Amino acid sequence: MTPHLIVSYLTSRAGGPGSGKGTQCANIVEHFGYTHLSAGDLLRAEAQSGSKNGTMIENMMSEGVIVPSEITIKLLEKAMLENENDKFLIDGFPRNEENRAAFESITGIEPEFVLFFDCSEEEMERRLLTRNQGRVDDNIDTIRKRFKVFLESSLDVINYYNSKGKVKKIDAGKPAGEVFEAVKAVFAPIR
């Protein structure tokens, strides 16, 4: 059976970190029964594992650069295979066109749709600097690098899926409850 795959982008014209992705993914899991797979969480867990790849991942993340596709895809694929659910919500991946093409080629899976959450860069920066989760990538220099990476590479992924009619755009600058009302409207037809 082919899994139902939703790629979640809570992002904006200027980048995506800090748009409330974790909050909305938790709501989607609770209300619609999807398994949430965060590429960032999987990478951070691998970085803390002490493995050879873990050290490289930690160094790349602290610099705000994208981890090689093969590594992230292997972590995502492993997580999917270890889960009994066939409905997955993946966030934070693909980050660029090469990630997208590699994921679809290796797994044979294309998402049903892509959530694109629009939020101003100023609001995302404010959220990141106040969330205080102790993450190595939540500092002003890395945050701004992440915004730049989005503009240079992730927007191509959004444009690709938009050309296929798969992008669902939601205003993420509103309060979380209002954002989730818009999310529910997107998910309702596929329940």
Side-chain angles (χ1 to χ4, degrees), residues 53-101:
N53 279 344
T55 302
M56 181 215 32
I57 291 168
E58 184 172 14
N59 291 336
M60 294 183 84
M61 289 177 70
S62 68
E63 292 296 318
V65 297
I66 296 174
V67 173
S69 297
E70 308 78 44
I71 292 171
T72 308
I73 292 168
K74 284 179 186 176
L75 292 172
L76 286 167
E77 200 169 33
K78 180 179 182 231
M80 291 172 79
L81 291 171
E82 291 174 349
N83 194 294
E84 294 181 15
N85 197 350
D86 69 344
K87 299 184 333 182
F88 295 94
L89 172 68
I90 296 177
D91 77 69
F93 191 86
R95 291 290 182 108
N96 58 35
E97 185 59 20
E98 189 273 330
N99 281 174
R100 182 209 58 80

mmCIF file of all heavy atoms in Angstrom, residues 53-101:
data_model
loop_
_atom_site.group_PDB
_atom_site.id
_atom_site.type_symbol
_atom_site.label_atom_id
_atom_site.label_comp_id
_atom_site.label_asym_id
_atom_site.label_seq_id
_atom_site.Cartn_x
_atom_site.Cartn_y
_atom_site.Cartn_z
ATOM 1 N N ASN A 53 27.974 9.920 11.100
ATOM 2 C CA ASN A 53 27.087 10.864 10.430
ATOM 3 C C ASN A 53 26.593 11.938 11.398
ATOM 4 O O ASN A 53 26.359 13.073 11.010
ATOM 5 C CB ASN A 53 25.876 10.153 9.813
ATOM 6 C CG ASN A 53 26.202 9.516 8.483
ATOM 7 O OD1 ASN A 53 27.211 9.815 7.864
ATOM 8 N ND2 ASN A 53 25.336 8.623 8.044
ATOM 9 N N GLY A 54 26.411 11.563 12.659
ATOM 10 C CA GLY A 54 25.910 12.498 13.657
ATOM 11 C C GLY A 54 26.799 13.712 13.829
ATOM 12 O O GLY A 54 26.315 14.842 13.921
ATOM 13 N N THR A 55 28.096 13.501 13.867
ATOM 14 C CA THR A 55 29.038 14.619 14.015
ATOM 15 C C THR A 55 28.963 15.544 12.809
ATOM 16 O O THR A 55 28.924 16.767 12.956
ATOM 17 C CB THR A 55 30.471 14.077 14.191
ATOM 18 O OG1 THR A 55 30.497 13.222 15.333
ATOM 19 C CG2 THR A 55 31.467 15.205 14.366
ATOM 20 N N MET A 56 28.924 14.964 11.612
ATOM 21 C CA MET A 56 28.828 15.763 10.393
ATOM 22 C C MET A 56 27.514 16.547 10.376
ATOM 23 O O MET A 56 27.499 17.733 10.056
ATOM 24 C CB MET A 56 28.910 14.876 9.155
ATOM 25 C CG MET A 56 28.844 15.679 7.877
ATOM 26 S SD MET A 56 27.982 14.930 6.472
ATOM 27 C CE MET A 56 26.721 13.943 7.152
ATOM 28 N N ILE A 57 26.418 15.895 10.760
ATOM 29 C CA ILE A 57 25.110 16.550 10.785
ATOM 30 C C ILE A 57 25.128 17.730 11.749
ATOM 31 O O ILE A 57 24.667 18.827 11.421
ATOM 32 C CB ILE A 57 24.003 15.543 11.169
ATOM 33 C CG1 ILE A 57 23.799 14.531 10.033
ATOM 34 C CG2 ILE A 57 22.698 16.250 11.515
ATOM 35 C CD1 ILE A 57 22.936 13.330 10.420
ATOM 36 N N GLU A 58 25.676 17.522 12.939
ATOM 37 C CA GLU A 58 25.721 18.594 13.934
ATOM 38 C C GLU A 58 26.501 19.800 13.410
ATOM 39 O O GLU A 58 26.081 20.945 13.554
ATOM 40 C CB GLU A 58 26.323 18.103 15.243
ATOM 41 C CG GLU A 58 26.300 19.156 16.327
ATOM 42 C CD GLU A 58 26.709 18.617 17.680
ATOM 43 O OE1 GLU A 58 27.268 17.504 17.760
ATOM 44 O OE2 GLU A 58 26.464 19.325 18.672
ATOM 45 N N ASN A 59 27.625 19.540 12.760
ATOM 46 C CA ASN A 59 28.435 20.630 12.208
ATOM 47 C C ASN A 59 27.681 21.388 11.120
ATOM 48 O O ASN A 59 27.690 22.617 11.076
ATOM 49 C CB ASN A 59 29.759 20.106 11.656
ATOM 50 C CG ASN A 59 30.687 19.628 12.746
ATOM 51 O OD1 ASN A 59 30.588 20.043 13.896
ATOM 52 N ND2 ASN A 59 31.587 18.725 12.397
ATOM 53 N N MET A 60 26.996 20.654 10.250
ATOM 54 C CA MET A 60 26.258 21.293 9.160
ATOM 55 C C MET A 60 25.083 22.111 9.697
ATOM 56 O O MET A 60 24.834 23.223 9.236
ATOM 57 C CB MET A 60 25.778 20.244 8.156
ATOM 58 C CG MET A 60 26.921 19.560 7.420
ATOM 59 S SD MET A 60 26.348 18.404 6.188
ATOM 60 C CE MET A 60 26.063 19.535 4.833
ATOM 61 N N MET A 61 24.373 21.564 10.675
ATOM 62 C CA MET A 61 23.226 22.273 11.234
ATOM 63 C C MET A 61 23.666 23.553 11.958
ATOM 64 O O MET A 61 22.988 24.577 11.868
ATOM 65 C CB MET A 61 22.429 21.364 12.163
ATOM 66 C CG MET A 61 21.675 20.286 11.400
ATOM 67 S SD MET A 61 20.787 19.149 12.460
ATOM 68 C CE MET A 61 19.483 20.203 13.066
ATOM 69 N N SER A 62 24.782 23.490 12.654
ATOM 70 C CA SER A 62 25.236 24.690 13.365
ATOM 71 C C SER A 62 25.660 25.790 12.394
ATOM 72 O O SER A 62 25.648 26.966 12.736
ATOM 73 C CB SER A 62 26.374 24.359 14.333
ATOM 74 O OG SER A 62 27.537 23.991 13.626
ATOM 75 N N GLU A 63 26.000 25.401 11.173
ATOM 76 C CA GLU A 63 26.354 26.371 10.135
ATOM 77 C C GLU A 63 25.129 26.816 9.333
ATOM 78 O O GLU A 63 25.231 27.695 8.488
ATOM 79 C CB GLU A 63 27.392 25.773 9.179
ATOM 80 C CG GLU A 63 28.749 25.554 9.809
ATOM 81 C CD GLU A 63 29.391 26.869 10.224
ATOM 82 O OE1 GLU A 63 29.311 27.848 9.462
ATOM 83 O OE2 GLU A 63 29.954 26.916 11.335
ATOM 84 N N GLY A 64 23.972 26.169 9.561
ATOM 85 C CA GLY A 64 22.755 26.532 8.845
ATOM 86 C C GLY A 64 22.713 26.041 7.413
ATOM 87 O O GLY A 64 21.986 26.584 6.586
ATOM 88 N N VAL A 65 23.484 24.994 7.097
ATOM 89 C CA VAL A 65 23.489 24.458 5.738
ATOM 90 C C VAL A 65 22.702 23.147 5.680
ATOM 91 O O VAL A 65 22.454 22.503 6.697
ATOM 92 C CB VAL A 65 24.924 24.251 5.194
ATOM 93 C CG1 VAL A 65 25.662 25.569 5.106
ATOM 94 C CG2 VAL A 65 25.699 23.276 6.044
ATOM 95 N N ILE A 66 22.327 22.745 4.474
ATOM 96 C CA ILE A 66 21.488 21.569 4.264
ATOM 97 C C ILE A 66 22.324 20.294 4.313
ATOM 98 O O ILE A 66 23.369 20.186 3.677
ATOM 99 C CB ILE A 66 20.736 21.690 2.923
ATOM 100 C CG1 ILE A 66 19.779 22.884 2.990
ATOM 101 C CG2 ILE A 66 19.983 20.412 2.606
ATOM 102 C CD1 ILE A 66 19.093 23.206 1.684
ATOM 103 N N VAL A 67 21.832 19.320 5.077
ATOM 104 C CA VAL A 67 22.471 18.009 5.186
ATOM 105 C C VAL A 67 22.250 17.261 3.864
ATOM 106 O O VAL A 67 21.196 17.397 3.245
ATOM 107 C CB VAL A 67 21.855 17.232 6.379
ATOM 108 C CG1 VAL A 67 22.362 15.811 6.442
ATOM 109 C CG2 VAL A 67 22.140 17.973 7.684
ATOM 110 N N PRO A 68 23.212 16.452 3.394
ATOM 111 C CA PRO A 68 23.039 15.717 2.131
ATOM 112 C C PRO A 68 21.736 14.903 2.098
ATOM 113 O O PRO A 68 21.332 14.295 3.084
ATOM 114 C CB PRO A 68 24.257 14.790 2.087
ATOM 115 C CG PRO A 68 25.294 15.506 2.901
ATOM 116 C CD PRO A 68 24.516 16.195 4.000
ATOM 117 N N SER A 69 21.103 14.911 0.937
ATOM 118 C CA SER A 69 19.810 14.247 0.749
ATOM 119 C C SER A 69 19.806 12.799 1.201
ATOM 120 O O SER A 69 18.871 12.353 1.875
ATOM 121 C CB SER A 69 19.408 14.287 -0.736
ATOM 122 O OG SER A 69 19.243 15.593 -1.170
ATOM 123 N N GLU A 70 20.826 12.045 0.808
ATOM 124 C CA GLU A 70 20.842 10.609 1.097
ATOM 125 C C GLU A 70 20.713 10.339 2.592
ATOM 126 O O GLU A 70 20.047 9.392 3.009
ATOM 127 C CB GLU A 70 22.119 9.942 0.579
ATOM 128 C CG GLU A 70 22.455 10.213 -0.872
ATOM 129 C CD GLU A 70 23.075 11.594 -1.105
ATOM 130 O OE1 GLU A 70 23.969 12.040 -0.348
ATOM 131 O OE2 GLU A 70 22.626 12.251 -2.060
ATOM 132 N N ILE A 71 21.356 11.150 3.401
ATOM 133 C CA ILE A 71 21.327 10.942 4.849
ATOM 134 C C ILE A 71 19.930 11.204 5.390
ATOM 135 O O ILE A 71 19.371 10.399 6.137
ATOM 136 C CB ILE A 71 22.375 11.840 5.544
ATOM 137 C CG1 ILE A 71 23.782 11.355 5.168
ATOM 138 C CG2 ILE A 71 22.168 11.847 7.057
ATOM 139 C CD1 ILE A 71 24.894 12.272 5.597
ATOM 140 N N THR A 72 19.342 12.319 4.998
ATOM 141 C CA THR A 72 18.004 12.655 5.478
ATOM 142 C C THR A 72 16.978 11.653 4.966
ATOM 143 O O THR A 72 16.097 11.212 5.718
ATOM 144 C CB THR A 72 17.621 14.091 5.063
ATOM 145 O OG1 THR A 72 18.657 14.985 5.467
ATOM 146 C CG2 THR A 72 16.310 14.506 5.700
ATOM 147 N N ILE A 73 17.072 11.253 3.710
ATOM 148 C CA ILE A 73 16.122 10.289 3.137
ATOM 149 C C ILE A 73 16.214 8.957 3.868
ATOM 150 O O ILE A 73 15.189 8.336 4.181
ATOM 151 C CB ILE A 73 16.352 10.116 1.618
ATOM 152 C CG1 ILE A 73 15.977 11.413 0.887
ATOM 153 C CG2 ILE A 73 15.550 8.940 1.073
ATOM 154 C CD1 ILE A 73 16.428 11.472 -0.553
ATOM 155 N N LYS A 74 17.428 8.497 4.165
ATOM 156 C CA LYS A 74 17.576 7.235 4.907
ATOM 157 C C LYS A 74 16.913 7.311 6.271
ATOM 158 O O LYS A 74 16.265 6.364 6.718
ATOM 159 C CB LYS A 74 19.057 6.873 5.050
ATOM 160 C CG LYS A 74 19.679 6.328 3.785
ATOM 161 C CD LYS A 74 21.148 6.004 3.993
ATOM 162 C CE LYS A 74 21.787 5.599 2.676
ATOM 163 N NZ LYS A 74 23.224 5.377 2.819
ATOM 164 N N LEU A 75 17.071 8.449 6.960
ATOM 165 C CA LEU A 75 16.442 8.618 8.271
ATOM 166 C C LEU A 75 14.917 8.640 8.146
ATOM 167 O O LEU A 75 14.209 8.013 8.945
ATOM 168 C CB LEU A 75 16.941 9.894 8.941
ATOM 169 C CG LEU A 75 18.405 9.905 9.366
ATOM 170 C CD1 LEU A 75 18.824 11.301 9.830
ATOM 171 C CD2 LEU A 75 18.675 8.874 10.459
ATOM 172 N N LEU A 76 14.393 9.340 7.145
ATOM 173 C CA LEU A 76 12.944 9.395 6.938
ATOM 174 C C LEU A 76 12.388 8.025 6.548
ATOM 175 O O LEU A 76 11.368 7.582 7.085
ATOM 176 C CB LEU A 76 12.597 10.418 5.849
ATOM 177 C CG LEU A 76 12.720 11.879 6.243
ATOM 178 C CD1 LEU A 76 12.669 12.782 5.010
ATOM 179 C CD2 LEU A 76 11.615 12.259 7.229
ATOM 180 N N GLU A 77 13.064 7.359 5.635
ATOM 181 C CA GLU A 77 12.610 6.044 5.170
ATOM 182 C C GLU A 77 12.602 5.033 6.319
ATOM 183 O O GLU A 77 11.645 4.266 6.485
ATOM 184 C CB GLU A 77 13.518 5.574 4.030
ATOM 185 C CG GLU A 77 12.917 4.510 3.163
ATOM 186 C CD GLU A 77 13.736 4.278 1.907
ATOM 187 O OE1 GLU A 77 14.983 4.410 1.934
ATOM 188 O OE2 GLU A 77 13.108 3.946 0.895
ATOM 189 N N LYS A 78 13.634 5.050 7.134
ATOM 190 C CA LYS A 78 13.706 4.162 8.294
ATOM 191 C C LYS A 78 12.534 4.426 9.240
ATOM 192 O O LYS A 78 11.867 3.496 9.711
ATOM 193 C CB LYS A 78 15.038 4.351 9.023
ATOM 194 C CG LYS A 78 15.212 3.471 10.239
ATOM 195 C CD LYS A 78 16.572 3.698 10.895
ATOM 196 C CE LYS A 78 16.730 2.767 12.078
ATOM 197 N NZ LYS A 78 17.135 3.435 13.280
ATOM 198 N N ALA A 79 12.270 5.698 9.511
ATOM 199 C CA ALA A 79 11.164 6.064 10.403
ATOM 200 C C ALA A 79 9.820 5.617 9.827
ATOM 201 O O ALA A 79 8.942 5.157 10.569
ATOM 202 C CB ALA A 79 11.170 7.567 10.659
ATOM 203 N N MET A 80 9.644 5.736 8.522
ATOM 204 C CA MET A 80 8.397 5.307 7.884
ATOM 205 C C MET A 80 8.232 3.790 7.962
ATOM 206 O O MET A 80 7.153 3.290 8.267
ATOM 207 C CB MET A 80 8.346 5.784 6.434
ATOM 208 C CG MET A 80 8.206 7.284 6.306
ATOM 209 S SD MET A 80 8.377 7.881 4.613
ATOM 210 C CE MET A 80 6.753 7.476 3.975
ATOM 211 N N LEU A 81 9.305 3.067 7.697
ATOM 212 C CA LEU A 81 9.242 1.608 7.717
ATOM 213 C C LEU A 81 9.004 1.057 9.119
ATOM 214 O O LEU A 81 8.393 -0.005 9.275
ATOM 215 C CB LEU A 81 10.521 1.008 7.127
ATOM 216 C CG LEU A 81 10.707 1.222 5.628
ATOM 217 C CD1 LEU A 81 12.101 0.791 5.193
ATOM 218 C CD2 LEU A 81 9.633 0.479 4.831
ATOM 219 N N GLU A 82 9.476 1.771 10.132
ATOM 220 C CA GLU A 82 9.309 1.325 11.517
ATOM 221 C C GLU A 82 7.937 1.677 12.087
ATOM 222 O O GLU A 82 7.611 1.298 13.198
ATOM 223 C CB GLU A 82 10.406 1.933 12.403
ATOM 224 C CG GLU A 82 11.777 1.372 12.116
ATOM 225 C CD GLU A 82 12.884 2.066 12.895
ATOM 226 O OE1 GLU A 82 12.631 3.126 13.517
ATOM 227 O OE2 GLU A 82 14.022 1.557 12.860
ATOM 228 N N ASN A 83 7.131 2.387 11.313
ATOM 229 C CA ASN A 83 5.827 2.838 11.781
ATOM 230 C C ASN A 83 4.732 2.047 11.086
ATOM 231 O O ASN A 83 4.806 1.800 9.887
ATOM 232 C CB ASN A 83 5.680 4.333 11.488
ATOM 233 C CG ASN A 83 4.529 4.957 12.214
ATOM 234 O OD1 ASN A 83 3.383 4.641 11.958
ATOM 235 N ND2 ASN A 83 4.841 5.850 13.128
ATOM 236 N N GLU A 84 3.693 1.680 11.809
ATOM 237 C CA GLU A 84 2.597 0.896 11.229
ATOM 238 C C GLU A 84 1.574 1.760 10.503
ATOM 239 O O GLU A 84 0.722 1.238 9.790
ATOM 240 C CB GLU A 84 1.916 0.076 12.324
ATOM 241 C CG GLU A 84 2.843 -0.985 12.891
ATOM 242 C CD GLU A 84 2.179 -1.838 13.957
ATOM 243 O OE1 GLU A 84 0.935 -1.816 14.077
ATOM 244 O OE2 GLU A 84 2.921 -2.530 14.663
ATOM 245 N N ASN A 85 1.618 3.064 10.676
ATOM 246 C CA ASN A 85 0.674 3.962 10.020
ATOM 247 C C ASN A 85 1.033 4.087 8.537
ATOM 248 O O ASN A 85 2.186 3.915 8.152
ATOM 249 C CB ASN A 85 0.723 5.341 10.699
ATOM 250 C CG ASN A 85 -0.472 6.206 10.395
ATOM 251 O OD1 ASN A 85 -1.296 5.898 9.543
ATOM 252 N ND2 ASN A 85 -0.577 7.307 11.099
ATOM 253 N N ASP A 86 0.036 4.393 7.706
ATOM 254 C CA ASP A 86 0.317 4.627 6.289
ATOM 255 C C ASP A 86 0.061 6.080 5.904
ATOM 256 O O ASP A 86 0.050 6.429 4.736
ATOM 257 C CB ASP A 86 -0.508 3.687 5.406
ATOM 258 C CG ASP A 86 -1.999 3.998 5.434
ATOM 259 O OD1 ASP A 86 -2.450 4.722 6.344
ATOM 260 O OD2 ASP A 86 -2.713 3.514 4.539
ATOM 261 N N LYS A 87 -0.131 6.942 6.913
ATOM 262 C CA LYS A 87 -0.357 8.368 6.673
ATOM 263 C C LYS A 87 0.750 9.152 7.372
ATOM 264 O O LYS A 87 0.854 9.114 8.594
ATOM 265 C CB LYS A 87 -1.725 8.795 7.211
ATOM 266 C CG LYS A 87 -2.866 8.069 6.548
ATOM 267 C CD LYS A 87 -4.260 8.506 6.963
ATOM 268 C CE LYS A 87 -4.457 9.084 8.305
ATOM 269 N NZ LYS A 87 -5.849 9.427 8.613
ATOM 270 N N PHE A 88 1.561 9.843 6.583
ATOM 271 C CA PHE A 88 2.716 10.550 7.130
ATOM 272 C C PHE A 88 2.670 12.027 6.794
ATOM 273 O O PHE A 88 2.326 12.421 5.685
ATOM 274 C CB PHE A 88 4.018 9.947 6.591
ATOM 275 C CG PHE A 88 4.240 8.544 7.036
ATOM 276 C CD1 PHE A 88 3.842 7.480 6.244
ATOM 277 C CD2 PHE A 88 4.818 8.282 8.271
ATOM 278 C CE1 PHE A 88 4.025 6.181 6.667
ATOM 279 C CE2 PHE A 88 4.997 6.978 8.696
ATOM 280 C CZ PHE A 88 4.602 5.921 7.897
ATOM 281 N N LEU A 89 3.038 12.813 7.773
ATOM 282 C CA LEU A 89 3.178 14.251 7.642
ATOM 283 C C LEU A 89 4.658 14.539 7.834
ATOM 284 O O LEU A 89 5.192 14.381 8.928
ATOM 285 C CB LEU A 89 2.343 14.945 8.716
ATOM 286 C CG LEU A 89 2.499 16.437 8.866
ATOM 287 C CD1 LEU A 89 1.948 17.150 7.648
ATOM 288 C CD2 LEU A 89 1.781 16.906 10.121
ATOM 289 N N ILE A 90 5.333 14.895 6.756
ATOM 290 C CA ILE A 90 6.772 15.151 6.828
ATOM 291 C C ILE A 90 6.993 16.655 6.783
ATOM 292 O O ILE A 90 6.490 17.335 5.894
ATOM 293 C CB ILE A 90 7.533 14.475 5.670
ATOM 294 C CG1 ILE A 90 7.390 12.961 5.772
ATOM 295 C CG2 ILE A 90 9.002 14.900 5.675
ATOM 296 C CD1 ILE A 90 8.049 12.202 4.645
ATOM 297 N N ASP A 91 7.737 17.166 7.747
ATOM 298 C CA ASP A 91 8.047 18.590 7.692
ATOM 299 C C ASP A 91 9.551 18.807 7.669
ATOM 300 O O ASP A 91 10.317 17.992 8.139
ATOM 301 C CB ASP A 91 7.354 19.374 8.820
ATOM 302 C CG ASP A 91 8.004 19.235 10.175
ATOM 303 O OD1 ASP A 91 9.116 19.749 10.346
ATOM 304 O OD2 ASP A 91 7.382 18.635 11.063
ATOM 305 N N GLY A 92 9.921 19.911 7.047
ATOM 306 C CA GLY A 92 11.330 20.269 6.957
ATOM 307 C C GLY A 92 12.087 19.546 5.860
ATOM 308 O O GLY A 92 13.309 19.607 5.810
ATOM 309 N N PHE A 93 11.370 18.883 4.976
ATOM 310 C CA PHE A 93 12.006 18.163 3.871
ATOM 311 C C PHE A 93 10.956 17.953 2.792
ATOM 312 O O PHE A 93 9.810 17.650 3.126
ATOM 313 C CB PHE A 93 12.535 16.806 4.348
ATOM 314 C CG PHE A 93 13.428 16.115 3.354
ATOM 315 C CD1 PHE A 93 14.778 16.389 3.316
ATOM 316 C CD2 PHE A 93 12.910 15.207 2.454
ATOM 317 C CE1 PHE A 93 15.605 15.762 2.399
ATOM 318 C CE2 PHE A 93 13.726 14.575 1.525
ATOM 319 C CZ PHE A 93 15.073 14.854 1.505
ATOM 320 N N PRO A 94 11.295 18.116 1.531
ATOM 321 C CA PRO A 94 12.596 18.449 0.960
ATOM 322 C C PRO A 94 12.902 19.937 1.078
ATOM 323 O O PRO A 94 12.011 20.759 1.008
ATOM 324 C CB PRO A 94 12.451 18.038 -0.502
ATOM 325 C CG PRO A 94 10.989 18.157 -0.785
ATOM 326 C CD PRO A 94 10.290 17.842 0.500
ATOM 327 N N ARG A 95 14.173 20.234 1.249
ATOM 328 C CA ARG A 95 14.622 21.610 1.399
ATOM 329 C C ARG A 95 15.017 22.242 0.073
ATOM 330 O O ARG A 95 15.121 23.450 -0.035
ATOM 331 C CB ARG A 95 15.824 21.687 2.340
ATOM 332 C CG ARG A 95 15.513 21.375 3.765
ATOM 333 C CD ARG A 95 14.673 22.503 4.360
ATOM 334 N NE ARG A 95 14.379 22.258 5.749
ATOM 335 C CZ ARG A 95 14.924 22.916 6.746
ATOM 336 N NH1 ARG A 95 15.814 23.833 6.519
ATOM 337 N NH2 ARG A 95 14.578 22.643 7.977
ATOM 338 N N ASN A 96 15.304 21.412 -0.914
ATOM 339 C CA ASN A 96 15.686 21.956 -2.220
ATOM 340 C C ASN A 96 15.243 20.973 -3.306
ATOM 341 O O ASN A 96 14.746 19.884 -3.011
ATOM 342 C CB ASN A 96 17.194 22.244 -2.293
ATOM 343 C CG ASN A 96 18.036 21.009 -2.032
ATOM 344 O OD1 ASN A 96 17.680 19.893 -2.390
ATOM 345 N ND2 ASN A 96 19.186 21.212 -1.397
ATOM 346 N N GLU A 97 15.410 21.379 -4.542
ATOM 347 C CA GLU A 97 14.953 20.559 -5.669
ATOM 348 C C GLU A 97 15.684 19.221 -5.724
ATOM 349 O O GLU A 97 15.091 18.192 -6.037
ATOM 350 C CB GLU A 97 15.132 21.348 -6.977
ATOM 351 C CG GLU A 97 14.593 20.659 -8.200
ATOM 352 C CD GLU A 97 13.103 20.332 -8.145
ATOM 353 O OE1 GLU A 97 12.352 20.925 -7.354
ATOM 354 O OE2 GLU A 97 12.684 19.439 -8.903
ATOM 355 N N GLU A 98 16.951 19.207 -5.394
ATOM 356 C CA GLU A 98 17.706 17.948 -5.387
ATOM 357 C C GLU A 98 17.142 17.008 -4.330
ATOM 358 O O GLU A 98 16.992 15.816 -4.583
ATOM 359 C CB GLU A 98 19.194 18.245 -5.143
ATOM 360 C CG GLU A 98 20.103 17.040 -5.331
ATOM 361 C CD GLU A 98 20.231 16.200 -4.068
ATOM 362 O OE1 GLU A 98 20.133 16.759 -2.959
ATOM 363 O OE2 GLU A 98 20.407 14.967 -4.193
ATOM 364 N N ASN A 99 16.814 17.518 -3.131
ATOM 365 C CA ASN A 99 16.175 16.706 -2.079
ATOM 366 C C ASN A 99 14.883 16.097 -2.601
ATOM 367 O O ASN A 99 14.603 14.919 -2.404
ATOM 368 C CB ASN A 99 15.778 17.556 -0.871
ATOM 369 C CG ASN A 99 16.885 17.920 0.094
ATOM 370 O OD1 ASN A 99 16.620 18.690 1.002
ATOM 371 N ND2 ASN A 99 18.087 17.413 -0.060
ATOM 372 N N ARG A 100 14.065 16.928 -3.241
ATOM 373 C CA ARG A 100 12.763 16.475 -3.736
ATOM 374 C C ARG A 100 12.911 15.347 -4.744
ATOM 375 O O ARG A 100 12.298 14.295 -4.616
ATOM 376 C CB ARG A 100 11.992 17.643 -4.369
ATOM 377 C CG ARG A 100 10.597 17.200 -4.855
ATOM 378 C CD ARG A 100 10.091 18.007 -6.024
ATOM 379 N NE ARG A 100 10.933 18.002 -7.197
ATOM 380 C CZ ARG A 100 10.983 17.020 -8.103
ATOM 381 N NH1 ARG A 100 10.282 15.919 -7.966
ATOM 382 N NH2 ARG A 100 11.778 17.117 -9.151
ATOM 383 N N ALA A 101 13.746 15.577 -5.734
ATOM 384 C CA ALA A 101 13.936 14.577 -6.784
ATOM 385 C C ALA A 101 14.513 13.281 -6.210
ATOM 386 O O ALA A 101 14.081 12.183 -6.564
ATOM 387 C CB ALA A 101 14.838 15.130 -7.885
#
